[in-house]
Amino acid sequence: MTEAAMESGGNPVLSVSDSAPPQALLERLKDYGQEDVFSLWDELSPDEKDLLVKDIENIDLPRIDRIIRCSFHSQGLPAAAIEPVPESCVSTVEERTMEEREKWWKMGMKAMAEGKFAVLLLSGGQGTRLGSSDPKGCFNIGLPSGKSLFQLQAERILCIQRLAAITANEGAGIVPIQWYIMTSPFTDEATRKYFESHKYFGLEAEQVTFFQQGTIPCVSKDGRFIMETPYRVAKSPDGNGGVYTALKYSRLLEDMNSRGIKYVDCYGVDNALVRVADPTFLGYFIDKGVSAAAKVVRKAYPQEKVGVFVRRGKGGPLAVVEYSELDPSLCSAVNQETGRLRFCWSNVCLHMFSLDFLNQVANGLEKDSIYHLAEKKIPSIHGHTMGYKLEQFIFDAFPYTPSTALFEVVREEEFAPVKNANGANFDTPDSARLLVLRLHTRWVVAAGGFLTHSVPLYATGVEVSPLCSYAGENLEAICRGRTFHAPCEISF
C-alpha cells in the first residue's frame, strides 16, 4: 500500500517544468524540515523531476512527520519495569485436561461453522536469506511432496473447514474460512500470480483476499528523508505490525465485520508446522473472553535469542521484550515454585484477536504513532549510509489490551521456523523439514502404521498430507497395519 492509498484526501500530482521546484510543494516540505529532497533539482532531467514530485506527493507528510517525531521522542524514554507473566494468564500443556481440550475443540469448530472466524497471514517478506527472491511462502523446504509453505497452509485450511462442517454444521455444507494475506510492495504481484497459477490450492478464489502493508521513508539520524536516488526517497516496509494500519486503510476490518467475523487467527508465513485455524486455540480464546491471545513455547535454554512475554509495570498489560533488551541475570532467573525460568514464554508469532480489538489497535497505534527505529545501512545517493528504518511489530498490539491469555504449545508439534539458508546453525529448511517428518512419523505409528527406511530414522520420516489429517486425527483407516517406506508422502 502506498502512502497515497493511505491518504484520505490525496493531493493532485503537479506537472513539472524545467524551472524551480513547485512552490506549494516546497513550502509544505519546509514546514516539516524536509526541503533537502530538492537539493539536486537542477541536475535532474524533466522526466526525473516529474518522478520526484510524484514520489513526494505520494507521501502523507503530516502523518510521516508525526511518526518520525513520536518515534524519536519515545526512544529516549525509560521503559516500565518488567515482571514475569502471572501463572493465571497461561494455559500450560501439563495443566490442560482432556475435557478442556475437547470442549475448546468443539467451541472452535462451532465458531468456524458459523462463519465467525478468519485467518490472517503475514507474508510481506522475500526469501532473501533463503537464497530466493520469491515471496517466502513460495519456498519448498524439501518435503517428499515438494509442497510450498503456501500450499501446506492452504491445505490445512481446506482440512479444517471440512472437519468443521462434519463436527458442528450437521451436514449443512462447508463454510469457507476467509484467508486475508498481507503482502508487501516487493511480494504482492508474485504472490497473487503464484496463487492464481496454482488455482488457489483448492480453495475458492473468493475466500482469499490480498492486501499490501505500507512503506515508510527511511530517515537519517536527524530525522531527514534519505534519498535513494536524486529523484526517489528511500523507503522500507513498515514491519509486520503494519498489518493493523493496512487493515484499517484497506477497509478490510469493515469487510470482516460485514461477513460476521468476530475472531481472527494471525500468524507468520515462515513456520512449516503452523496449525492454521486451530480450533482448540480458538475455543480457548472464546472461553477466556479475552481480547488477544498468543501461543507460546518454553525457552529452550536461558540465552535463547527469542522475544518473551512479560508484564510491563505493576499490574500492567502483557508485552513482548526482545532478547537483546532482557538483562542477562533475568534471562537465567528461575521460579522456585514451578522450576521454570521466570521469563520463559517465547513469542512465536501465533496470535488470536477479536475483531473489536483489531479496530481498537489500528486506531490506537495510528494515534500514538510510535515505531521502532532499526539502525541499518540504507542505499542512498551517497552509497550505503547509516540511518533508520521505521517499523512496527505484530506484538505492539498487546499493551492496548488489559486481557491477554497465553496458550502453551509443544515446540516440536507447532513451531518449525524457516528463516536461514541450509548450512546455518538453526531455523533452516532442512531443520524444518525434519521436524515435519518426525512429527508425522509419530502420527503414523500412533495410528498403527509401520515404517521401513534406508537411512537412519532420525534423518528421515514420512509426510502426512494436510488433506488427510490436520493434527494426527483420522489416520487409522489409512495407516493401520500398513508399512510405508520413508521418505514418502501419505495422502488419500
Side-chain angles (χ1 to χ4, degrees):
M1 189 191 313
T2 64
E3 292 298 340
M6 290 186 171
E7 201 167 5
S8 54
N11 294 299
V13 175
L14 306 171
S15 66
V16 180
S17 67
D18 290 339
S19 58
Q23 191 61 32
L25 186 55
L26 182 58
E27 292 302 322
R28 286 178 64 216
L29 285 164
K30 283 181 178 176
D31 288 344
Y32 301 109
Q34 300 291 0
E35 64 274 14
D36 287 358
V37 298
F38 282 139
S39 62
L40 297 175
W41 179 265
D42 293 336
E43 299 173 25
L44 301 180
S45 69
D47 283 349
E48 289 171 339
K49 290 176 179 177
D50 264 330
L51 287 169
L52 177 57
V53 168
K54 285 175 183 170
D55 194 38
I56 302 302
E57 284 289 342
N58 277 340
I59 296 173
D60 183 346
L61 286 170
R63 175 177 180 265
I64 296 302
D65 179 69
R66 188 172 71 248
I67 287 170
I68 293 169
R69 283 188 294 103
C70 292
S71 303
F72 271 68
H73 175 69
S74 73
Q75 297 307 304
L77 300 178
I82 62 170
E83 296 180 350
V85 173
E87 293 290 314
S88 60
C89 293
V90 189
S91 167
T92 61
V93 171
E94 69 257 20
E95 290 170 350
R96 226 170 280 152
T97 66
M98 184 62 75
E99 290 76 23
E100 281 179 322
R101 289 203 296 268
E102 288 179 0
K103 177 178 78 168
W104 292 334
W105 174 272
K106 287 175 182 172
M107 286 176 77
M109 287 296 198
K110 185 172 185 290
M112 289 180 194
E114 291 171 351
K116 294 178 180 177
F117 173 76
V119 174
L120 174 58
L121 168 59
L122 308 174
S123 183
Q126 294 167 288
T128 314
R129 280 159 67 184
L130 301 170
S132 167
S133 59
D134 292 331
K136 202 180 276 188
C138 300
F139 200 80
N140 165 10
I141 64 170
L143 289 168
S145 65
K147 290 173 182 174
S148 66
L149 294 169
F150 279 143
Q151 182 167 357
L152 293 171
Q153 292 162 26
E155 291 183 354
R156 284 175 193 144
I157 292 174
L158 279 167
C159 180
I160 207 67
Q161 65 187 23
R162 187 182 72 240
L163 283 174
I166 295 167
T167 305
N169 214 15
E170 297 176 352
I174 288 173
V175 175
I177 293 172
Q178 294 298 316
W179 195 12
Y180 297 88
I181 299 177
M182 185 177 79
T183 64
S184 70
F186 310 105
T187 64
D188 186 72
E189 185 181 1
T191 301
R192 290 171 188 264
K193 285 183 174 174
Y194 188 75
F195 271 76
E196 286 168 10
S197 66
H198 289 83
K199 297 184 168 53
Y200 297 86
F201 308 104
L203 295 166
E204 301 293 330
E206 297 74 36
Q207 73 186 100
V208 183
T209 302
F210 301 98
F211 66 104
Q212 283 191 55
Q213 69 185 106
T215 58
I216 290 201
C218 303
V219 296
S220 62
K221 295 193 175 180
D222 59 0
R224 304 275 182 134
F225 293 165
I226 293 173
M227 299 302 293
E228 184 176 339
T229 71
Y231 50 88
R232 184 169 61 242
V233 175
K235 303 182 192 74
S236 63
D238 54 6
N240 61 15
V243 66
Y244 306 112
T245 303
L247 285 170
K248 176 184 169 76
Y249 281 104
S250 57
R251 306 183 78 103
L252 288 176
L253 294 173
E254 295 170 28
D255 179 73
M256 291 178 186
N257 187 58
S258 71
R259 296 176 185 273
I261 291 164
K262 296 189 182 303
Y263 316 109
V264 181
D265 180 24
C266 179
Y267 69 98
V269 72
D270 53 2
N271 178 359
L273 278 177
V274 61
R275 286 192 184 173
V276 188
D278 180 357
T280 307
F281 185 38
L282 174 58
Y284 167 75
F285 178 77
I286 296 169
D287 194 33
K288 288 292 175 187
V290 291
S291 303
K295 285 185 173 181
V296 290
V297 299
R298 296 183 197 212
K299 281 181 78 169
Y301 49 93
Q303 279 70 45
E304 187 181 11
K305 293 183 176 181
V306 291
V308 292
F309 276 93
V310 302
R311 172 174 262 175
R312 280 273 186 212
K314 196 78 177 167
L318 299 196
V320 173
V321 169
E322 290 289 45
Y323 63 88
S324 54
E325 300 170 27
L326 198 60
D327 185 275
S329 64
L330 293 179
C331 284
S332 305
V334 173
N335 180 327
Q336 297 303 323
E337 287 183 24
T338 64
R340 291 193 298 262
L341 294 171
R342 291 182 71 219
F343 297 93
C344 73
W345 300 120
S346 304
N347 170 49
V348 288
C349 196
L350 300 169
H351 304 308
M352 191 77 69
F353 301 118
S354 71
L355 184 59
D356 289 343
F357 179 63
L358 285 176
N359 274 295
Q360 181 190 336
V361 171
N363 293 324
L365 286 174
E366 185 70 13
K367 177 173 164 287
D368 293 346
S369 297
I370 295 172
Y371 285 60
H372 303 267
L373 300 178
E375 191 172 0
K376 304 276 186 181
K377 286 184 177 178
I378 314 290
S380 79
I381 51 177
H382 305 297
H384 280 77
T385 183
M386 292 307 292
Y388 293 117
K389 293 182 177 182
L390 292 102
E391 303 172 311
Q392 288 183 322
F393 301 133
I394 190 74
F395 53 73
D396 288 340
F398 286 95
Y400 289 85
T401 174
S403 58
T404 300
L406 303 185
F407 187 82
E408 185 195 2
V409 296
V410 178
R411 183 187 294 249
E412 293 77 16
E413 294 180 357
E414 298 200 37
F415 189 50
V418 186
K419 296 186 181 295
N420 305 309
N422 285 328
N425 291 328
F426 55 89
D427 298 349
T428 64
D430 280 351
S431 66
R433 183 182 71 254
L434 275 177
L435 282 166
V436 174
L437 294 177
R438 287 171 185 168
L439 174 65
H440 292 191
T441 295
R442 293 197 294 274
W443 290 356
V444 169
V445 171
F450 302 94
L451 262 68
T452 59
H453 42 96
S454 46
V455 297
L457 190 55
Y458 66 79
T460 187
V462 292
E463 173 191 3
V464 175
S465 167
L467 298 173
C468 287
S469 181
Y470 179 78
E473 77 291 329
N474 300 333
L475 285 174
E476 287 80 2
I478 302 172
C479 298
R480 186 169 300 284
R482 288 185 62 193
T483 299
F484 303 94
H485 184 75
C488 69
E489 184 198 19
I490 297 172
S491 57
F492 283 120

